[in-house]
Amino acid sequence: MRAVDLIAKKRDGGALSSDEIFWLIDAYTAGVVADYQMAAWAMAVVLRGMDVRETTDLTLAMARSGDMLDLHDIAPITVDKHSTGGVGDKTTLVLAPLAAAVGLRVAKMSGRGLGFSGGTVDKLESIPGFRTTLSTAEFRTAVERHGLVVAGQTADLAPADKKLYALRDVTATVESIPLIAASVMSKKLAAGADCIVLDVKYGQGAFMRTLDDARQLAQSMVAIGQRAGRRVSAVLSSMEQPLGLGIGNALEVREAIATLRGNGPPDLVELCRVLGAQLVQLAGLAADEAGARALLQRALDEGKAWERFCAMVAFQGGDLHAIEGADALLPTAPVVVPLRAPQRGYVAAIDGQSLGLAVNELGGGRERKEDTIDPAVGLVLAAKVGDLVEPDAPLLAIHAANAADAARIAPRLLAAYRLSTTPTAAPPLIEEIVA
Ligand code: URA
């Protein structure tokens, strides 16, 4: 086969056969197909699309380009979760131990933050000593002993996706639903879980801006997973405002700990219940949503989810004193400054992307992969959409490395809040479930 023929076929709107897709990915991974040819093919896909069979073939070809984890000797059913990313999204830190607490085996590989949204690996690494780089043997042992692991991706997980994603990033070919779906699902399939719940976020503070795009992405990923023999469902959840109150690595760990101890913000708690209920039902532990929710609530109320979190932190080398006590050992910013409301009003909108970018500027995120981050900095919201604020009441607290950093971003944070004289309802958190 010749790459040029496959590029031309896609350019002209044709569908590549399974053999052609597997050949293209294998040849690209081996360095036989050049970056410029792959970039041309990716652009043809952006413009012409791919059908569900082609997208599934691409996913499987990329998944099989490296290690395919098989955990069936450890557990008959393992579960995993993926979020398409959003500002303040610390759901994995709560959902993974919660799912483990009801008896599910959670085998999760997570990523680092990039752009305006954070990443679970960075958040966990704000716990002193916590190791997210585990060998495959350690990953398997954690699932076997504690029913729970959250780690970074192993080096040989879907290498074809790693190479292609880096290329798409610099050739304006990220924005394609089939390419995104195949990229995400190749890593999920390679990581081995039988049941996968996808949290597909839409809105201002999410990768997918519109509900329509999020729905299409969710449908595509669910179809791929099911064709590949996994049990998959997706939840479409709103990022029209940040999730919970904390944005920033250690601040989000604090909020996750509070949630696991029964004091979480209502939106975060509800999202964890909805996603957890999907996993419980996919794994066959409950027949319906009500039964699944009851199981999860009991695990939270009885402190079992919190116990699982502590067991995970201990196994992965984290300092338990940092999370058990008054969290004094978690990184803390030296400067905490309130941002105050200029006038009385109802919070009508909060631009999550602006807040996420502001946290990056404080040092809490990265623009480039090699940037280092400050785990202590971030924001804690004091008012969310629908709240009535009085003049001078705090809208949020800025946690910064110094007063100058806080002062520099304050005007942009203020611009991210829209106040209205008339009451505004909070946007719905969950739009629909795609199964
Ligand atoms: N995240 C991924 O893993 N892949 C994409 O293509 C886009 C976002």
Side-chain angles (χ1 to χ4, degrees):
M1 275 185 227
R2 295 189 325 153
V4 65
D5 298 328
L6 306 190
I7 299 166
K9 190 171 182 183
K10 185 46 72 185
R11 179 200 62 200
D12 296 339
L16 269 59
S17 70
S18 300
D19 285 349
E20 287 169 336
I21 290 175
F22 274 87
W23 178 85
L24 186 64
I25 294 302
D26 287 350
Y28 179 56
T29 312
V32 173
V33 167
D35 273 349
Y36 53 81
Q37 292 177 304
M38 207 57 192
W41 176 78
M43 186 57 85
V45 173
V46 169
L47 300 175
R48 293 297 199 160
M50 283 197 297
D51 65 29
V52 65
R53 196 267 311 147
E54 288 179 284
T55 312
T56 307
D57 286 337
L58 175 63
T59 310
L60 290 171
M62 293 200 297
R64 290 174 189 164
S65 66
D67 289 342
M68 293 283 285
L69 220 59
D70 185 348
L71 299 165
H72 289 112
D73 56 327
I74 293 171
I77 294 181
T78 50
V79 305
D80 192 359
K81 168 260 173 185
H82 177 81
S83 161
T84 56
V87 176
D89 182 10
K90 68 283 291 175
T91 311
T92 293
L93 304 180
V94 179
L95 177 63
L98 179 58
V102 299
L104 297 173
R105 301 276 174 151
V106 183
K108 165 119 184 77
M109 292 191 196
S110 289
R112 294 193 181 277
L114 198 60
F116 64 85
S117 81
T120 301
V121 164
D122 294 326
K123 293 171 201 189
L124 283 169
E125 285 182 355
S126 65
I127 301 171
F130 194 98
R131 286 192 309 121
T132 56
T133 307
L134 300 185
S135 66
T136 305
E138 286 174 312
F139 188 86
R140 291 165 59 87
T141 305
V143 178
E144 194 167 18
R145 276 200 213 148
H146 301 293
L148 171 62
V149 65
V150 182
Q153 282 160 18
T154 51
D156 203 33
L157 193 89
D161 172 66
K162 207 170 283 171
K163 198 172 170 191
L164 181 56
Y165 189 54
L167 186 69
R168 288 167 55 214
D169 209 19
V170 292
T171 55
T173 50
V174 169
E175 284 78 5
S176 152
I177 284 176
L179 291 179
I180 297 170
S183 168
V184 169
M185 290 305 288
S186 66
K187 290 169 279 205
K188 294 286 112 183
L189 297 185
D194 305 283
C195 306
I196 304 161
V197 69
L198 304 162
D199 181 10
V200 183
K201 299 190 169 297
Y202 63 90
Q204 240 336 295
F207 190 56
M208 290 283 134
R209 287 310 164 89
T210 68
L211 176 57
D212 211 36
D213 281 351
R215 186 181 289 119
Q216 279 184 43
L217 180 61
Q219 287 167 344
S220 177
M221 292 195 292
V222 168
I224 292 168
Q226 291 173 347
R227 280 172 159 249
R230 311 291 169 99
R231 302 178 211 171
V232 188
S233 68
V235 172
L236 298 184
S237 73
S238 167
M239 266 289 147
E240 292 294 0
Q241 62 174 335
L243 185 67
L245 303 173
I247 308 168
N249 296 293
L251 292 169
E252 294 190 40
V253 168
R254 281 193 174 81
E255 187 166 81
I257 290 171
T259 306
L260 288 163
R261 290 176 140 173
N263 294 314
D267 56 350
L268 175 61
V269 176
E270 177 59 8
L271 183 59
C272 291
R273 281 201 207 103
V274 171
L275 293 166
Q278 287 302 309
L279 284 178
V280 167
Q281 290 173 91
L282 289 172
L285 284 194
D288 57 21
E289 162 107 22
R293 285 175 79 103
L295 271 181
L296 294 160
Q297 193 60 51
R298 200 170 327 126
L300 207 52
D301 293 345
E302 291 175 354
K304 298 224 167 81
W306 169 239
E307 278 169 31
R308 289 292 91 215
F309 183 78
C310 293
M312 175 182 76
V313 169
F315 181 81
Q316 294 185 226
D319 185 346
L320 279 179
H321 299 298
I323 59 165
E324 276 177 338
D327 72 21
L329 295 174
L330 282 178
T332 308
V335 171
V336 180
V337 186
L339 178 81
R340 298 188 182 280
Q343 79 256 355
R344 185 176 200 270
Y346 295 90
V347 178
I350 306 174
D351 178 348
Q353 181 175 0
S354 295
L355 300 193
L357 290 173
V359 171
N360 280 4
E361 200 174 320
L362 287 171
R366 53 174 80 74
E367 283 308 316
R368 300 148 62 92
K369 273 199 205 115
E370 53 280 7
D371 294 345
T372 52
I373 57 169
D374 179 348
V377 298
L379 308 169
V380 178
L381 308 192
K384 299 230 345 179
V385 174
D387 290 349
L388 174 64
V389 291
E390 298 297 336
D392 257 3
L395 293 172
L396 54 75
I398 307 171
H399 292 238
N402 54 62
D405 281 359
R408 194 176 59 250
I409 63 160
R412 258 173 297 141
L413 296 176
L414 203 51
Y417 267 80
R418 189 156 57 78
L419 297 181
S420 149
T421 50
T422 49
T424 313
L429 177 66
I430 308 292
E431 186 64 31
E432 65 190 58
I433 310 257
V434 177

CSV table of all heavy atoms in Angstrom, one decimal, residues 122-170:
chain,number,residue,atom,x,y,z
A,122,ASP,N,-1.5,15.7,38.0
A,122,ASP,CA,-0.9,16.9,38.7
A,122,ASP,C,-1.6,17.1,40.0
A,122,ASP,O,-0.9,17.5,41.0
A,122,ASP,CB,-1.1,18.2,37.9
A,122,ASP,CG,-0.4,18.1,36.6
A,122,ASP,OD1,0.7,17.6,36.5
A,122,ASP,OD2,-0.9,18.7,35.6
A,123,LYS,N,-2.9,16.9,40.1
A,123,LYS,CA,-3.6,17.1,41.4
A,123,LYS,C,-3.1,16.1,42.4
A,123,LYS,O,-2.7,16.5,43.5
A,123,LYS,CB,-5.1,16.9,41.1
A,123,LYS,CG,-5.7,18.0,40.3
A,123,LYS,CD,-7.1,17.8,39.8
A,123,LYS,CE,-7.3,18.7,38.6
A,123,LYS,NZ,-8.6,18.8,38.1
A,124,LEU,N,-3.0,14.8,42.0
A,124,LEU,CA,-2.5,13.8,43.0
A,124,LEU,C,-1.1,14.1,43.4
A,124,LEU,O,-0.7,13.8,44.6
A,124,LEU,CB,-2.7,12.4,42.4
A,124,LEU,CG,-4.1,11.8,42.3
A,124,LEU,CD1,-4.2,10.6,41.5
A,124,LEU,CD2,-4.6,11.5,43.8
A,125,GLU,N,-0.3,14.6,42.5
A,125,GLU,CA,1.1,14.8,42.9
A,125,GLU,C,1.3,16.0,43.9
A,125,GLU,O,2.4,16.2,44.4
A,125,GLU,CB,1.9,15.0,41.6
A,125,GLU,CG,2.2,13.7,40.9
A,125,GLU,CD,3.1,13.9,39.7
A,125,GLU,OE1,3.4,15.0,39.3
A,125,GLU,OE2,3.4,12.8,39.1
A,126,SER,N,0.2,16.7,44.2
A,126,SER,CA,0.3,17.7,45.2
A,126,SER,C,0.3,17.1,46.6
A,126,SER,O,0.5,17.8,47.6
A,126,SER,CB,-0.8,18.8,45.0
A,126,SER,OG,-2.0,18.3,45.2
A,127,ILE,N,0.0,15.8,46.7
A,127,ILE,CA,0.1,15.1,48.0
A,127,ILE,C,1.5,14.7,48.1
A,127,ILE,O,2.0,13.9,47.3
A,127,ILE,CB,-0.8,13.8,48.0
A,127,ILE,CG1,-2.3,14.3,47.8
A,127,ILE,CG2,-0.7,13.1,49.3
A,127,ILE,CD1,-3.3,13.1,47.6
A,128,PRO,N,2.2,15.2,49.1
A,128,PRO,CA,3.7,14.9,49.2
A,128,PRO,C,3.9,13.4,49.1
A,128,PRO,O,3.3,12.6,49.8
A,128,PRO,CB,4.1,15.4,50.6
A,128,PRO,CG,3.0,16.4,50.9
A,128,PRO,CD,1.8,16.0,50.2
A,129,GLY,N,4.9,13.0,48.3
A,129,GLY,CA,5.3,11.6,48.1
A,129,GLY,C,4.5,10.8,47.1
A,129,GLY,O,4.9,9.7,46.7
A,130,PHE,N,3.3,11.2,46.8
A,130,PHE,CA,2.4,10.4,45.9
A,130,PHE,C,3.1,10.1,44.6
A,130,PHE,O,3.5,11.0,43.9
A,130,PHE,CB,1.1,11.1,45.7
A,130,PHE,CG,0.0,10.2,45.2
A,130,PHE,CD1,-0.9,9.6,46.0
A,130,PHE,CD2,-0.1,9.9,43.8
A,130,PHE,CE1,-1.9,8.8,45.5
A,130,PHE,CE2,-1.1,9.1,43.3
A,130,PHE,CZ,-2.0,8.5,44.2
A,131,ARG,N,3.1,8.8,44.2
A,131,ARG,CA,3.8,8.5,42.9
A,131,ARG,C,2.7,8.1,41.9
A,131,ARG,O,1.8,7.3,42.2
A,131,ARG,CB,4.6,7.2,43.1
A,131,ARG,CG,5.9,7.5,43.9
A,131,ARG,CD,6.9,6.3,43.8
A,131,ARG,NE,6.3,5.1,44.1
A,131,ARG,CZ,6.2,4.0,43.4
A,131,ARG,NH1,6.6,4.0,42.1
A,131,ARG,NH2,5.6,2.9,43.8
A,132,THR,N,2.8,8.8,40.8
A,132,THR,CA,1.8,8.5,39.7
A,132,THR,C,2.5,7.7,38.6
A,132,THR,O,1.8,7.2,37.7
A,132,THR,CB,1.2,9.8,39.1
A,132,THR,OG1,2.3,10.6,38.6
A,132,THR,CG2,0.4,10.5,40.1
A,133,THR,N,3.8,7.5,38.7
A,133,THR,CA,4.5,6.7,37.7
A,133,THR,C,4.7,5.3,38.3
A,133,THR,O,5.5,5.1,39.2
A,133,THR,CB,5.9,7.3,37.3
A,133,THR,OG1,5.6,8.7,36.9
A,133,THR,CG2,6.5,6.5,36.2
A,134,LEU,N,3.8,4.4,37.9
A,134,LEU,CA,3.9,3.0,38.4
A,134,LEU,C,4.3,2.1,37.3
A,134,LEU,O,4.0,2.3,36.1
A,134,LEU,CB,2.5,2.6,38.9
A,134,LEU,CG,1.9,3.5,40.1
A,134,LEU,CD1,0.6,2.8,40.5
A,134,LEU,CD2,2.8,3.6,41.2
A,135,SER,N,5.0,1.0,37.7
A,135,SER,CA,5.2,0.0,36.7
A,135,SER,C,3.9,-0.8,36.5
A,135,SER,O,3.0,-0.7,37.3
A,135,SER,CB,6.3,-1.0,37.2
A,135,SER,OG,5.7,-1.7,38.3
A,136,THR,N,3.9,-1.6,35.4
A,136,THR,CA,2.6,-2.3,35.1
A,136,THR,C,2.4,-3.3,36.3
A,136,THR,O,1.2,-3.5,36.7
A,136,THR,CB,2.8,-3.1,33.8
A,136,THR,OG1,3.1,-2.1,32.8
A,136,THR,CG2,1.5,-3.8,33.4
A,137,ALA,N,3.5,-3.8,36.9
A,137,ALA,CA,3.3,-4.8,38.0
A,137,ALA,C,2.7,-4.1,39.2
A,137,ALA,O,1.8,-4.6,39.8
A,137,ALA,CB,4.6,-5.4,38.3
A,138,GLU,N,3.1,-2.9,39.5
A,138,GLU,CA,2.6,-2.1,40.6
A,138,GLU,C,1.1,-1.7,40.3
A,138,GLU,O,0.3,-1.8,41.3
A,138,GLU,CB,3.4,-0.8,40.8
A,138,GLU,CG,4.7,-1.0,41.4
A,138,GLU,CD,5.6,0.3,41.5
A,138,GLU,OE1,5.6,1.0,40.5
A,138,GLU,OE2,6.1,0.6,42.6
A,139,PHE,N,0.8,-1.4,39.1
A,139,PHE,CA,-0.5,-1.0,38.7
A,139,PHE,C,-1.5,-2.2,39.0
A,139,PHE,O,-2.5,-2.1,39.6
A,139,PHE,CB,-0.5,-0.6,37.2
A,139,PHE,CG,-1.8,-0.1,36.7
A,139,PHE,CD1,-2.1,1.3,36.8
A,139,PHE,CD2,-2.8,-0.9,36.1
A,139,PHE,CE1,-3.3,1.8,36.3
A,139,PHE,CE2,-3.9,-0.4,35.6
A,139,PHE,CZ,-4.2,1.0,35.7
A,140,ARG,N,-1.0,-3.4,38.6
A,140,ARG,CA,-1.8,-4.6,38.8
A,140,ARG,C,-2.0,-4.9,40.2
A,140,ARG,O,-3.1,-5.3,40.7
A,140,ARG,CB,-1.2,-5.8,38.0
A,140,ARG,CG,-1.3,-5.6,36.5
A,140,ARG,CD,-0.3,-6.6,35.8
A,140,ARG,NE,-0.6,-7.9,36.1
A,140,ARG,CZ,-1.5,-8.7,35.4
A,140,ARG,NH1,-2.1,-8.2,34.4
A,140,ARG,NH2,-1.8,-9.9,35.8
A,141,THR,N,-0.9,-4.8,41.0
A,141,THR,CA,-0.9,-5.1,42.4
A,141,THR,C,-1.9,-4.2,43.1
A,141,THR,O,-2.7,-4.6,44.0
A,141,THR,CB,0.5,-5.0,43.1
A,141,THR,OG1,1.4,-5.8,42.3
A,141,THR,CG2,0.5,-5.4,44.5
A,142,ALA,N,-1.9,-2.9,42.8
A,142,ALA,CA,-2.8,-2.0,43.4
A,142,ALA,C,-4.3,-2.4,43.2
A,142,ALA,O,-5.1,-2.4,44.1
A,142,ALA,CB,-2.6,-0.6,42.9
A,143,VAL,N,-4.6,-2.8,42.0
A,143,VAL,CA,-6.0,-3.2,41.6
A,143,VAL,C,-6.3,-4.5,42.4
A,143,VAL,O,-7.4,-4.6,43.0
A,143,VAL,CB,-6.1,-3.5,40.1
A,143,VAL,CG1,-7.5,-4.0,39.8
A,143,VAL,CG2,-5.8,-2.3,39.3
A,144,GLU,N,-5.4,-5.4,42.5
A,144,GLU,CA,-5.6,-6.7,43.2
A,144,GLU,C,-5.8,-6.5,44.7
A,144,GLU,O,-6.7,-7.0,45.3
A,144,GLU,CB,-4.4,-7.6,42.9
A,144,GLU,CG,-4.7,-9.0,43.3
A,144,GLU,CD,-3.6,-9.9,42.7
A,144,GLU,OE1,-2.5,-9.4,42.4
A,144,GLU,OE2,-3.8,-11.1,42.6
A,145,ARG,N,-4.9,-5.7,45.3
A,145,ARG,CA,-4.9,-5.5,46.8
A,145,ARG,C,-6.0,-4.5,47.3
A,145,ARG,O,-6.6,-4.7,48.3
A,145,ARG,CB,-3.6,-5.0,47.3
A,145,ARG,CG,-2.6,-6.1,47.5
A,145,ARG,CD,-1.5,-5.7,48.4
A,145,ARG,NE,-0.3,-6.4,48.0
A,145,ARG,CZ,0.9,-5.9,48.1
A,145,ARG,NH1,1.1,-4.7,48.6
A,145,ARG,NH2,1.9,-6.6,47.7
A,146,HIS,N,-6.1,-3.4,46.6
A,146,HIS,CA,-6.9,-2.3,47.1
A,146,HIS,C,-8.2,-2.0,46.2
A,146,HIS,O,-9.0,-1.2,46.6
A,146,HIS,CB,-6.1,-1.0,47.2
A,146,HIS,CG,-4.9,-1.2,48.1
A,146,HIS,ND1,-5.1,-1.5,49.5
A,146,HIS,CD2,-3.6,-1.3,47.9
A,146,HIS,CE1,-3.9,-1.6,50.0
A,146,HIS,NE2,-3.0,-1.5,49.1
A,147,GLY,N,-8.2,-2.7,45.1
A,147,GLY,CA,-9.4,-2.5,44.2
A,147,GLY,C,-9.3,-1.1,43.6
A,147,GLY,O,-10.3,-0.6,43.1
A,148,LEU,N,-8.2,-0.5,43.6
A,148,LEU,CA,-8.1,0.9,43.2
A,148,LEU,C,-6.7,1.4,42.8
A,148,LEU,O,-5.8,1.2,43.6
A,148,LEU,CB,-8.6,1.8,44.3
A,148,LEU,CG,-8.5,3.3,44.2
A,148,LEU,CD1,-9.3,3.8,43.1
A,148,LEU,CD2,-9.0,3.9,45.5
A,149,VAL,N,-6.6,2.0,41.6
A,149,VAL,CA,-5.3,2.6,41.3
A,149,VAL,C,-5.6,3.8,40.4
A,149,VAL,O,-6.5,3.7,39.5
A,149,VAL,CB,-4.3,1.6,40.6
A,149,VAL,CG1,-4.8,1.1,39.3
A,149,VAL,CG2,-2.9,2.3,40.4
A,150,VAL,N,-5.0,4.9,40.6
A,150,VAL,CA,-5.0,6.0,39.7
A,150,VAL,C,-3.6,6.5,39.4
A,150,VAL,O,-2.9,6.9,40.3
A,150,VAL,CB,-5.8,7.2,40.2
A,150,VAL,CG1,-5.9,8.4,39.2
A,150,VAL,CG2,-7.2,6.8,40.6
A,151,ALA,N,-3.1,6.3,38.2
A,151,ALA,CA,-1.7,6.5,37.8
A,151,ALA,C,-1.6,7.2,36.5
A,151,ALA,O,-2.6,7.3,35.8
A,151,ALA,CB,-1.0,5.2,37.8
A,152,GLY,N,-0.4,7.6,36.2
A,152,GLY,CA,-0.2,8.2,34.8
A,152,GLY,C,-0.2,7.1,33.8
A,152,GLY,O,-0.1,5.9,34.2
A,153,GLN,N,-0.3,7.5,32.5
A,153,GLN,CA,-0.3,6.4,31.5
A,153,GLN,C,1.1,5.8,31.4
A,153,GLN,O,2.1,6.5,31.5
A,153,GLN,CB,-0.6,7.1,30.2
A,153,GLN,CG,-2.1,7.3,30.0
A,153,GLN,CD,-2.4,8.4,29.0
A,153,GLN,OE1,-1.5,8.6,28.1
A,153,GLN,NE2,-3.5,8.9,29.0
A,154,THR,N,1.1,4.4,31.3
A,154,THR,CA,2.4,3.7,31.1
A,154,THR,C,3.0,4.1,29.8
A,154,THR,O,2.3,4.5,28.9
A,154,THR,CB,2.2,2.2,31.2
A,154,THR,OG1,1.2,1.9,30.3
A,154,THR,CG2,1.8,1.8,32.6
A,155,ALA,N,4.3,4.0,29.7
A,155,ALA,CA,5.1,4.6,28.5
A,155,ALA,C,4.6,4.0,27.2
A,155,ALA,O,4.5,4.6,26.2
A,155,ALA,CB,6.6,4.3,28.7
A,156,ASP,N,4.2,2.7,27.3
A,156,ASP,CA,3.9,2.0,26.0
A,156,ASP,C,2.4,1.9,25.7
A,156,ASP,O,1.9,1.0,25.1
A,156,ASP,CB,4.6,0.7,25.9
A,156,ASP,CG,4.7,0.2,24.5
A,156,ASP,OD1,5.0,1.1,23.6
A,156,ASP,OD2,4.6,-1.0,24.2
A,157,LEU,N,1.6,2.9,26.3
A,157,LEU,CA,0.2,2.8,26.1
A,157,LEU,C,-0.1,3.6,24.8
A,157,LEU,O,0.2,4.8,24.7
A,157,LEU,CB,-0.5,3.5,27.3
A,157,LEU,CG,-2.0,3.3,27.3
A,157,LEU,CD1,-2.4,2.0,28.0
A,157,LEU,CD2,-2.8,4.4,27.9
A,158,ALA,N,-0.7,2.9,23.8
A,158,ALA,CA,-1.1,3.6,22.6
A,158,ALA,C,-0.1,4.5,22.0
A,158,ALA,O,-0.4,5.7,21.8
A,158,ALA,CB,-2.5,4.2,22.7
A,159,PRO,N,1.2,4.1,21.7
A,159,PRO,CA,2.2,5.0,21.2
A,159,PRO,C,1.8,5.6,19.9
A,159,PRO,O,2.2,6.8,19.6
A,159,PRO,CB,3.4,4.1,21.0
A,159,PRO,CG,2.9,2.7,21.1
A,159,PRO,CD,1.7,2.7,21.9
A,160,ALA,N,1.0,5.0,19.1
A,160,ALA,CA,0.6,5.6,17.8
A,160,ALA,C,-0.3,6.8,18.1
A,160,ALA,O,-0.1,7.8,17.4
A,160,ALA,CB,-0.3,4.6,17.0
A,161,ASP,N,-1.1,6.8,19.1
A,161,ASP,CA,-1.9,8.0,19.4
A,161,ASP,C,-1.0,9.1,19.9
A,161,ASP,O,-1.2,10.3,19.6
A,161,ASP,CB,-3.0,7.6,20.5
A,161,ASP,CG,-3.6,8.9,21.0
A,161,ASP,OD1,-4.3,9.5,20.2
A,161,ASP,OD2,-3.4,9.3,22.2
A,162,LYS,N,0.0,8.7,20.8
A,162,LYS,CA,0.9,9.7,21.3
A,162,LYS,C,1.6,10.5,20.1
A,162,LYS,O,1.6,11.7,20.1
A,162,LYS,CB,2.0,9.0,22.1
A,162,LYS,CG,2.6,9.9,23.2
A,162,LYS,CD,3.4,9.1,24.1
A,162,LYS,CE,2.7,8.3,25.2
A,162,LYS,NZ,3.5,7.4,25.9
A,163,LYS,N,2.0,9.7,19.1
A,163,LYS,CA,2.7,10.3,18.0
A,163,LYS,C,1.7,11.2,17.1
A,163,LYS,O,2.0,12.3,16.7
A,163,LYS,CB,3.3,9.2,17.1
A,163,LYS,CG,4.4,9.6,16.2
A,163,LYS,CD,5.1,8.4,15.6
A,163,LYS,CE,6.0,8.9,14.4
A,163,LYS,NZ,6.5,7.8,13.6
A,164,LEU,N,0.6,10.6,16.9
A,164,LEU,CA,-0.4,11.3,16.0
A,164,LEU,C,-1.0,12.5,16.7
A,164,LEU,O,-1.2,13.6,16.1
A,164,LEU,CB,-1.6,10.3,15.7
A,164,LEU,CG,-2.7,10.9,14.8
A,164,LEU,CD1,-2.1,11.4,13.5
A,164,LEU,CD2,-3.7,9.8,14.4
A,165,TYR,N,-1.2,12.4,18.1
A,165,TYR,CA,-1.8,13.6,18.8
A,165,TYR,C,-0.8,14.7,18.8
A,165,TYR,O,-1.2,15.9,18.6
A,165,TYR,CB,-2.2,13.2,20.2
A,165,TYR,CG,-3.0,14.2,20.9
A,165,TYR,CD1,-4.1,14.8,20.4
A,165,TYR,CD2,-2.6,14.8,22.1
A,165,TYR,CE1,-4.9,15.8,21.0
A,165,TYR,CE2,-3.3,15.7,22.8
A,165,TYR,CZ,-4.4,16.2,22.2
A,165,TYR,OH,-5.1,17.2,22.8
A,166,ALA,N,0.5,14.5,19.0
A,166,ALA,CA,1.5,15.5,18.9
A,166,ALA,C,1.5,16.2,17.5
A,166,ALA,O,1.6,17.4,17.4
A,166,ALA,CB,2.9,14.9,19.3
A,167,LEU,N,1.3,15.4,16.5
A,167,LEU,CA,1.3,15.9,15.1
A,167,LEU,C,0.0,16.8,14.9
A,167,LEU,O,0.1,17.9,14.3
A,167,LEU,CB,1.3,14.8,14.2
A,167,LEU,CG,1.4,15.1,12.7
A,167,LEU,CD1,2.8,15.7,12.4
A,167,LEU,CD2,1.2,13.8,11.8
A,168,ARG,N,-1.1,16.3,15.4
A,168,ARG,CA,-2.4,17.0,15.2
A,168,ARG,C,-2.3,18.3,15.9
A,168,ARG,O,-2.8,19.3,15.4
A,168,ARG,CB,-3.5,16.2,15.8
A,168,ARG,CG,-3.9,15.0,14.9
A,168,ARG,CD,-4.8,14.0,15.6
A,168,ARG,NE,-6.0,14.6,16.1
A,168,ARG,CZ,-6.6,14.3,17.2
A,168,ARG,NH1,-6.2,13.3,18.0
A,168,ARG,NH2,-7.7,14.9,17.6
A,169,ASP,N,-1.7,18.3,17.1
A,169,ASP,CA,-1.6,19.6,17.9
A,169,ASP,C,-0.9,20.7,17.1
A,169,ASP,O,-1.3,21.9,17.3
A,169,ASP,CB,-0.7,19.2,19.1
A,169,ASP,CG,-1.1,20.0,20.3
A,169,ASP,OD1,-2.2,20.6,20.3
A,169,ASP,OD2,-0.3,20.1,21.2
A,170,VAL,N,0.0,20.4,16.2
A,170,VAL,CA,0.7,21.5,15.5
A,170,VAL,C,0.3,21.6,14.0
A,170,VAL,O,0.9,22.3,13.3
A,170,VAL,CB,2.3,21.3,15.6
A,170,VAL,CG1,2.8,21.5,17.0
A,170,VAL,CG2,2.7,19.9,15.1
